[in-house]
Amino acid sequence: MAEPPAAGEPGVSYTAADGRSAEPGSTGTEFAYFDGDDIGAPLELALLEDDPGKATRYSNLVSTAMNQLAAELSSHNGVRVLFSGGDDMFASWPNGAVDPGEMTKLQVRFSAVCGRTISVGVGATPSEALGNLRRAKLRGKARTVTASEAREC
């Protein structure tokens, strides 16, 4: 399978579900990668206990939490959810459209719905957002790491 071109290479574009562009660096775009923390463990445990009903209920809770997170985030002016599936979501918005305090509120709401935490990485490019998500996970999970916080280390 061929590797997709890297960001910044010809032929790379970022398009939201509504068809609008979300190019890195275009008009000060920020990207955010959301990933649920330790989501798989309760699901696997339910299956090991031969309880597919419990696994289904848990999976539905996580899906509901992610759907609510995507809807709440999308209500902010200029936010585009580029993909959402399982316990992952990737979004973009104009610089400053989402306040860091709002990220904390979204994380609290996610946890209230499904009983799990979520980590977030924010950056000026998709790769920087992914790197900051990894930092959030390595720093103990249940947190948001932005570009400025990543530089402080």
Side-chain angles (χ1 to χ4, degrees), residues 33-75:
Y33 200 145
F34 298 74
D35 183 46
D37 298 323
D38 303 316
I39 298 295
L43 184 67
E44 289 178 26
L45 187 58
L47 295 174
L48 286 170
E49 294 169 349
D50 292 324
D51 193 345
K54 184 177 182 180
T56 299
R57 289 187 299 278
Y58 172 71
S59 177
N60 288 340
L61 278 176
V62 172
S63 293
T64 297
M66 286 305 295
N67 290 338
Q68 288 179 3
L69 183 81
E72 288 183 47
L73 191 60
S74 294
S75 71

Side-chain angles (χ1 to χ4, degrees), residues 72-108:
E72 288 183 47
L73 191 60
S74 294
S75 71
H76 290 79
N77 191 28
V79 172
R80 298 179 190 121
V81 173
L82 302 172
F83 71 78
S84 181
D87 68 339
D88 293 325
M89 183 173 64
F90 192 75
S92 70
W93 55 76
N95 282 345
V98 178
D99 171 285
E102 183 62 24
M103 297 298 277
T104 301
K105 291 177 189 174
L106 292 169
Q107 288 171 295
V108 167

